[in-house]
Amino acid sequence: MAGDQVTLLDFWASPFGMRVRIALAEKGVKYEYSEQDLRNKSALLLQMNPVHKKIPVLVHNGKPVCESLIIVQYIDEVWKDKAPLLPSDPYQRAQSRFWADFVDKKIYDLSRKIWTTKGEDLEAAKKDFIDCLKLLEGELGDKPYFGGETIGYVDIAFVPFYVWFHAYETVGNFKVEAECPKLIAYCKRCLQKESVSKSLQDPQKVYDFVVMLRKNFGIE
Amino acid sequence: MAKEDLLLLDFWASPFCMRVKVALAEKGVDYESKQEENLLGGKSELLLKSNPIYQKVPVLLDNGKPLSESTIIVSYIDEKWPSPPLLPACAYGRSQARFWADYIDKKLFDATCSIWRSTGAAVEASKKEFIEVLKVLEEALGEKDFFGGETFGFADIMAIPITSWFYASEKFGNFTVEAECPKLSAWIKRSMQRESVAKVLPDPEKVYEFVVMFRKMLGIE
């Protein structure tokens, strides 16, 4: 849309920010990327997201939209003429929302436990994490993407976490591919899409970031 | 659509189930409901089969097809029965409604319950946090009649059922929402005037009795 001013307040390693980047790329939306310092939050970020003070925030013609999945739905509704991210059937839409919500409720918290705990807590977190990935694998089935023939809402919700797997696997001493080969094949398939590969970060950089975070948090 | 085509797996005290019932009432849609009597002991086979991942109510079965998670169910109801709309027409307004629904989901019920889950000095701290959440909601409401503006909508539906639990928190925390947040209190009264809300929400006294029993069960003195 001509004359649109779109800015994304983001943090390079955030899987939530990556979701928004993929959605904007799928829709071919031009935007300004604004890297935020999360240890020293800018006046702009605090003004645009006073309630949660978090990234990502999409600022569209001066008006902020917060919470990554809400932003993705907003993008889908505003730039509706290209690459629909949600199905048109209400039941299928509900199913997509359910699985994206599952990723939000389970994947992030469990994966965080993997790089912030040790010993028994770590082992329990790993098991729960793999159980959740297996549920996702089951839901994917034989489809190329969760969205069917093209990537959609659930793919966008989930695939950014893939670039954090290398970090989880290294600190947790396990391999997702050994447990969920289909899911890894799916992630690699997603990376072949330009909208995904250009939006996701290098797993090695993410790993280095996690190492630094663990040092700061005092985790061995 | 026949009444039997829609089945709600329900629990009378659950504010999440109330959200679905209010939404269906707003749309004038008929449905059957089945009380899950024993959520703490033996969940029904139908519930476990329909919601294997979370094993929770509410579950809405539409011609046998299950939907779970109250916010998602209400979105589905709004999309399947578009009139009257629960979300605004413009994308930005919709994102705002979803944002507040999400905030209410993340914060309000936990804050409400933490008051009666606490004992001793922790009660005051829980009360303070709860009132902070209410003040954020009051600011979001502003001078509007409802969160969505002039009409009762999505975010209002997410919040109003939880207010049936406020009385229990007020008793245990020794305060009133009206004194702390008069604007929000006015919104509660305004929402309760709607038939959909008045018919669905349980008597707060009954919820209080349920909380008393639940605290005993949890061993909270």
Side-chain angles (χ1 to χ4, degrees), chain A residues 3-4 11 16 30 40 56 60 70 75 92 94 99 109 113-115 123 137 141 150-151 159 172 193 217 220:
Chain A
D4 265 335
F11 178 68
F16 305 101
K30 284 191 169 43
N40 187 18
H60 184 204
I70 293 173
I75 290 168
Q92 296 305 324
W99 286 104
D109 280 347
K113 283 200 175 113
I114 292 174
W115 64 264
E123 292 308 307
E137 228 182 18
T150 52
I151 70 164
V159 85
K193 290 186 67 67
F217 281 124
E220 279 307 301

Side-chain angles (χ1 to χ4, degrees), chain A residues 64 67 77 91 93 105, chain B residues 66 69 79 92 94 98 106:
Chain A
E67 293 302 298
E77 289 175 8
Y91 187 75
R93 288 164 77 87
K105 277 185 167 78
Chain B
E69 294 303 293
E79 290 175 6
Y92 190 73
R94 294 158 81 84
R98 286 176 181 138
K106 283 185 166 97

Side-chain angles (χ1 to χ4, degrees), chain B residues 128-145:
Chain B
K128 192 168 168 289
E129 267 185 53
F130 173 67
I131 290 165
E132 269 168 30
V133 171
L134 293 189
K135 290 217 187 293
V136 171
L137 289 175
E138 254 191 349
E139 204 183 313
L141 187 63
E143 298 304 315
K144 306 192 298 287
D145 275 353

Side-chain angles (χ1 to χ4, degrees), chain A:
Chain A
M1 272 150 53
D4 265 335
Q5 192 34 24
V6 183
T7 305
L8 175 62
L9 308 184
D10 198 353
F11 178 68
W12 67 274
S14 163
F16 305 101
M18 289 178 219
R19 289 170 168 177
V20 180
R21 292 175 230 165
I22 297 172
L24 290 167
E26 279 287 301
K27 301 286 188 174
V29 176
K30 284 191 169 43
Y31 66 98
E32 181 204 331
Y33 178 93
S34 172
E35 182 70 17
Q36 298 295 305
D37 182 352
L38 297 182
R39 288 163 305 176
N40 187 18
K41 292 178 180 179
S42 69
L44 178 64
L45 175 58
L46 298 176
Q47 186 202 356
M48 291 289 134
N49 191 358
V51 174
H52 298 302
K53 306 177 174 60
K54 287 180 174 179
I55 55 91
V57 180
L58 188 77
V59 187
H60 184 204
N61 294 327
K63 296 198 289 191
V65 184
C66 309
E67 293 302 298
S68 61
L69 290 181
I70 293 173
I71 299 172
V72 172
Q73 286 185 82
Y74 175 79
I75 290 168
D76 198 33
E77 289 175 8
V78 171
W79 289 278
K80 56 182 180 289
D81 297 329
K82 187 182 175 189
L85 304 176
L86 277 164
S88 46
D89 168 67
Y91 187 75
Q92 296 305 324
R93 288 164 77 87
Q95 290 302 96
S96 293
R97 287 182 172 129
F98 176 87
W99 286 104
D101 178 67
F102 175 82
V103 172
D104 255 5
K105 277 185 167 78
K106 298 280 192 179
I107 302 296
Y108 178 64
D109 280 347
L110 287 173
S111 60
R112 200 165 191 280
K113 283 200 175 113
I114 292 174
W115 64 264
T116 57
T117 62
K118 305 183 285 185
E120 266 176 41
D121 288 340
L122 170 58
E123 292 308 307
K126 269 158 61 178
K127 183 182 176 301
D128 287 343
F129 181 67
I130 293 291
D131 285 347
C132 285
L133 292 185
K134 287 201 161 114
L135 282 170
L136 281 169
E137 228 182 18
E139 173 57 22
L140 180 65
D142 291 321
K143 303 194 294 291
Y145 306 102
F146 285 100
E149 294 303 311
T150 52
I151 70 164
Y153 192 65
V154 182
D155 305 281
I156 289 176
F158 174 69
V159 85
F161 289 98
Y162 174 64
V163 304
W164 281 67
F165 283 5
H166 172 57
Y168 309 149
E169 288 168 333
T170 311
V171 307
N173 193 28
F174 70 110
K175 270 250 172 271
V176 174
E177 191 154 22
E179 307 278 349
C180 304
K182 268 187 161 177
L183 202 66
I184 295 300
Y186 152 79
C187 291
K188 290 180 176 157
R189 191 180 309 127
C190 286
L191 271 170
Q192 283 168 5
K193 290 186 67 67
E194 201 180 334
S195 60
V196 177
S197 62
K198 287 204 157 172
S199 305
L200 262 45
Q201 281 297 334
D202 174 6
Q204 189 56 38
K205 284 205 174 87
V206 171
Y207 171 68
D208 291 339
F209 175 66
V210 169
V211 166
M212 181 212 70
L213 282 177
R214 276 161 63 87
K215 269 209 192 85
N216 287 353
F217 281 124
I219 305 159
E220 279 307 301

